[in-house]
Amino acid sequence: MLFEVWAPDARRVGLQWAGGRSGEPVVPMERDTARAGWWRAEAPARDGDRYAFRLDGGPPLPDPRAARLPDGPGGPGAVVDHSRFTWRHPWPGRPLPGAVLYELHIGTFTSEGTFDAAAARLAHLAALGITHVSLMPVCPFPGTHGWGYDGVAPWAVHEPYGGPDGLKRFVDAAHGHGLGVVLDVVHNHLGPSGNCLPAFGPYFTDTHRTPWGAAVNLDAPGSDEVRGYLVGSALGWLRHYRLDGLRLDAVHALHDGRARHFLAELSAAVDELAGQLGRPLFLIGESDRNDPRTTAPRARGGHGLHAQWNDDVHHALHTALTGESHGYYADFARAPLAAVAKTLTGGFFHDGTYSSFRGRTHGDRLDLRTTPAHRLLAYTQTHDQIGNRARGDRLAAGLSPGLLACAAALVLGSPFTPMLFMGEEWGARTPWQYFTDHPDPELAEAVRAGRRREFAAQERAARGTPGAGAAGDDAPVDPSDGWPDPQDPATRDRSVLDWNEPAAEPHTALLAWHRTLLALRHTTPALTDPDPSATRVTYDERARWLLLRRGPVRVAVNLAPRATAAVPVGATGLCPLAAWPAPCLPDGDGVLRLPPESAVVLGP
């Protein structure tokens, strides 16, 4: 077997066996004469053999490209023979147009927190009408439980979840249910604990800074190999694990001053692989820039990503539903239904407009005539928007079932690719909080203190008192303040879905409502029509009703808590295709009398 590693500054490199072969001698590696900075060695090995690399006689370090780290970050890698896995279900792929995504965290989707336990629940998603499961990161991170965004090995799979074979079993099971699988990957930073990459080469650079420290090296000396490292990781997920797409975390934090942006290089490689494999593959970026270039074709100067998250839809709907107006919600809250209307018809709310949160103009106009609407993802809840709240409270913690039904009708009736966060379909009331499992006491305490400062700032902003309470921000976490301790195992346990909820009201009714809406979306062409002229929105800010028109289909919602809304649907011969809590018809003048906190979908 050929072992290779990039270590440009090393004077000598050795292959160190571990585990059952730890008594065997170190295998000297030779410089690769064809590739500067690379070392290689041929050695007999089989699936499961553990190994590490030693640089200049130093301690054993994990292979940066190890597909498995049985002992977690910092430990030796293990050989993975991908050809040994037997796939049961042929998979032609499932493209993004017409998709409905479901964001899922393996560690809290079930109490067991494993791939196999999650796979046992996939029939629920297929029956719901989901097309793609979007997994949060599964690369190795410290401890057992965490969000996964502090992973340290972009080629490997978290062992407590089930390792590489566990992920393959999950993907194979999903394909058996007709579900595609998308994986969240993090290219903008790596976690601080167990990160050995700096010992091998210039994977990071001080040329740029990020909220997580030194930036990944995409444009400084040595960046050719770093870019290749990340592109190779991405292609490996798609090829070896038969994934359908990748969600790229915080691409706005990828600092790249080169003529060809890393994202364009990555999207070109993924498109090429799709052609080789003969099945559709796609990339979904998370970006807060509202930049049309993110999804614009490479031939037109764009980065060529196939879609992006659209937080503006979330912010507009969130302010309309909750009335929150602090932080980045401020601009949306001035006229929330107008903000909803703008995002549903134009994609971005901030499209060159002034952002009071940023203190400057933000974004650029997105032309939906040239950018298909499915390239934007719409949602009312995500791991970020729930988990980064001080108490991890979902919308269901503060909204009535009627308002939750209205939110679902607008997202699932929108022209964009909808996404649900796990449990949203039944109005789950379990929180989803920020939790970590750092074994390093100093790092654990730093995380506690950092979250305390964030929570304090959130509460001051919500109260409208920006300076209050700042003196105690650096104090140790006090359990009496009600903020969850990220390191307390109970924080993770509270965040696990309660699968008994769907059997009780109002969860049962909300689940049925989501199933009805998803069935309509899959069977009603108007709801996935890419023509932007087919989408129109009218609303009454004061009366709190909104009407979304998708061709001949009308989605009407009344967000008012007590008043019946008179909604001019503007057509005759319409009948209810779906209704919460009960069907209602327009009168002879085409006016729909919609009860408080209710929704209806009308069609010919």
Side-chain angles (χ1 to χ4, degrees), residues 17-36:
W17 299 110
R21 300 184 63 177
S22 58
E24 299 183 27
V26 173
V27 179
M29 302 183 74
E30 298 179 349
R31 292 184 184 274
D32 188 332
T33 57
R35 295 185 296 169

Side-chain angles (χ1 to χ4, degrees), residues 17-158:
W17 299 110
R21 300 184 63 177
S22 58
E24 299 183 27
V26 173
V27 179
M29 302 183 74
E30 298 179 349
R31 292 184 184 274
D32 188 332
T33 57
R35 295 185 296 169
W38 280 84
W39 299 76
R40 54 185 289 155
E42 291 276 358
R46 60 184 180 181
D47 186 84
D49 283 352
R50 300 192 183 192
Y51 69 100
F53 295 124
R54 301 185 67 175
L55 308 180
D56 297 324
L61 300 173
D63 179 2
R65 287 172 168 74
R68 185 181 171 208
L69 297 177
D71 302 321
V79 172
V80 174
D81 180 358
H82 290 291
S83 67
R84 293 179 70 251
F85 187 83
T86 301
W87 294 90
R88 298 176 300 150
H89 303 290
W91 184 245
R94 192 157 189 175
L96 189 62
V100 178
L101 275 64
Y102 186 94
E103 191 183 22
L104 185 159
H105 177 258
I106 289 294
T108 50
F109 190 57
T110 65
S111 58
E112 297 90 342
T114 64
F115 291 122
D116 290 338
R121 296 285 185 179
L122 289 174
H124 164 83
L125 302 184
L128 176 62
I130 298 300
T131 65
H132 294 76
V133 180
S134 185
L135 295 179
M136 289 176 60
V138 301
C139 290
F141 55 83
T144 300
H145 296 298
W147 280 20
Y149 292 95
D150 50 1
V152 299
W155 291 59
V157 182
H158 193 50

Side-chain angles (χ1 to χ4, degrees), residues 532-554:
S533 66
T535 299
R536 292 286 183 270
V537 177
T538 53
Y539 61 92
D540 187 319
E541 197 80 61
R542 187 170 183 178
R544 287 183 56 74
W545 62 259
L546 183 143
L547 178 68
L548 168 63
R549 305 182 185 210
R550 303 294 315 284
V553 176
R554 310 286 194 269

